Every structure is written in C-alpha cells, then in structure tokens.
Amino acid sequence: MSLHDSHGNRLYLNAEERAAFLDVARKQPARDRTLCETLHFTGCRPSELIEITPARIDLSGGTVALRSLKKRKDASGAQKIVYRTVPVPPDYLDTLNTAHGIREAQKSRKLAAAPIWPLSRVRIWQIVKRLMIEAGITDAPHRSPKGLRHGFGINATVNSIPLHMLQKWMGHAQLSTTAIYADAVGKEEQDIASRMWG
C-alpha cells in the first residue's frame, strides 16, 4: 500500500481539500450530508458505510461501530467478523440523530437493524465525486471515497494520534499497513516536522 500511485500522484485528500469537501457536504440534503460526514469522520470504506445501522451508533458514548470488511480469517480459515468503534464529534452525532431519527429507531429492533443509507457502493462513489467536484478538488486519483479514507489516516497522523489507535480505527489487521500514514509529504510532512522544531 502507498500514498502515491505509480505516477507519483497523491492518493489522499489534504487538510484544505478535506475542509472544502466538508463545507460543501454540509450544504447538501440530510442523506448526502450525513453520508459524507460519516466517511469524513470515520475513515470507513463505502462498503462498510452501507452496513451502518442505528444500532451501531452510540450517541452517549460518541462512537460509530463499523464491521471491518477486509480479508479476516479465524484459526480454522473461516471468515471472521470483526467490529471496530471509531470516536466521532458530538456535533456530527447530533446531526445524524436529527436527520435519521437514530435514538427513536434504536427503540425498535427492526428499525435499529435497518441500514441508515440503503445505497450501493457505486451510488456512494457518485455522490462523493459530485461533491468533490463542487468543492473544487482537482481531477486526480485522490478525488474519491478512498482519497477521503487516506485523508483520514493522514489527518490522524498529523494530529499525533498513535499508530496503534489509528490501526484500530481504520480496521487494519497489520500495523505495517497503518504505518504508511506516517509517510506524509508536503504540508502534512511540514506539520509533523514542526512538532519536532518546537
């Protein structure tokens, strides 16, 4: 895994692009706004996002539980189900609750188990791309949901989140996968270095 493609193009959204994307997302109808904010604040994959239900939102604990969908096997070689919780901002949870009636849905077993965003991965990709174009993000490999996920990892590293914690939040099986986010360049690298300079 790398933060650049074979032509040296960046594969992550930088802080300025993440802020522009979030600004545009907050002007969208509730479904698209909360979908984009969830990708932004959790670093989840679209395939993980479409599985989020009201039951997986902990409003008082301030977390979203995500099922890690990458290859995981138990000792017998069978598919292993792994959940991870990601802390999220209280304002985001308030918006999510207001837009989707999370607290009310949690009172019903049926509603609590229904996906919040019953969309396909392709539809999520289309929504994200449309908003990134509107946000003025250049036509490059990072203009994608994966660019948001990588941006989440870079942002955590720039803000001194320990790699083992980021590994948990991103659902990586190996710390070596998470370590790519310590290989930031440009302004992100300058921000990391500035902590050393005092």
Side-chain angles (χ1 to χ4, degrees), residues 167-187:
Q167 175 189 12
K168 175 187 174 234
W169 293 346
M170 296 195 78
H172 292 152
Q174 304 294 323
L175 188 60
S176 58
T177 304
T178 314
I180 67 156
Y181 297 108
D183 191 26
V185 294
K187 180 167 181 347

Side-chain angles (χ1 to χ4, degrees), residues 76 108 139 152:
S76 69
S108 159
D139 186 9
F152 174 88

Side-chain angles (χ1 to χ4, degrees), residues 89-106:
D91 290 348
Y92 154 76
L93 284 176
D94 288 343
T95 302
L96 190 65
N97 181 44
T98 301
H100 300 283
I102 301 297
R103 194 177 304 281
E104 204 54 40
Q106 289 173 341

Side-chain angles (χ1 to χ4, degrees), residues 18-196:
R18 282 170 45 91
F21 175 76
L22 197 55
D23 185 53
V24 168
R26 288 180 168 156
K27 295 172 184 160
Q28 302 304 308
R31 182 201 70 180
D32 292 358
R33 173 184 175 163
T34 57
L35 180 153
C36 290
E37 286 182 326
T38 302
L39 291 169
H40 179 271
F41 288 123
T42 67
C44 72
R45 301 170 179 93
S47 54
E48 294 169 338
L49 179 128
I50 60 179
E51 287 201 356
I52 299 174
T53 64
R56 295 186 188 169
I57 308 296
D58 185 350
L59 294 170
S60 59
T63 62
V64 174
L66 304 165
R67 184 163 77 97
S68 294
L69 294 177
K70 282 297 215 173
K71 312 167 229 46
R72 304 261 179 161
K73 305 225 170 170
D74 62 19
S76 69
Q79 188 71 26
K80 182 177 172 185
I81 296 175
V82 177
Y83 287 91
R84 65 188 192 272
T85 55
V86 180
V88 291
D91 290 348
Y92 154 76
L93 284 176
D94 288 343
T95 302
L96 190 65
N97 181 44
T98 301
H100 300 283
I102 301 297
R103 194 177 304 281
E104 204 54 40
Q106 289 173 341
K107 295 175 183 176
S108 159
R109 186 177 295 182
K110 182 178 179 182
L111 294 176
I116 297 171
W117 300 277
L119 303 168
S120 69
R121 287 180 300 165
V122 171
R123 184 69 188 118
I124 291 169
W125 194 91
Q126 291 167 341
I127 292 166
V128 170
K129 183 176 179 182
R130 176 177 58 81
L131 269 60
M132 286 188 174
I133 290 169
E134 193 175 324
I137 297 168
T138 57
D139 186 9
H142 64 279
R143 191 169 76 184
S144 67
K146 193 159 195 171
L148 269 175
R149 179 168 165 77
H150 287 321
F152 174 88
I154 291 287
N155 185 55
T157 303
V158 168
N159 286 289
S160 304
I161 300 299
L163 282 180
H164 73 280
M165 188 63 64
L166 180 57
Q167 175 189 12
K168 175 187 174 234
W169 293 346
M170 296 195 78
H172 292 152
Q174 304 294 323
L175 188 60
S176 58
T177 304
T178 314
I180 67 156
Y181 297 108
D183 191 26
V185 294
K187 180 167 181 347
E188 290 77 18
E189 186 173 29
Q190 289 292 317
D191 289 344
I192 292 169
S194 71
R195 295 196 304 264
M196 177 180 69

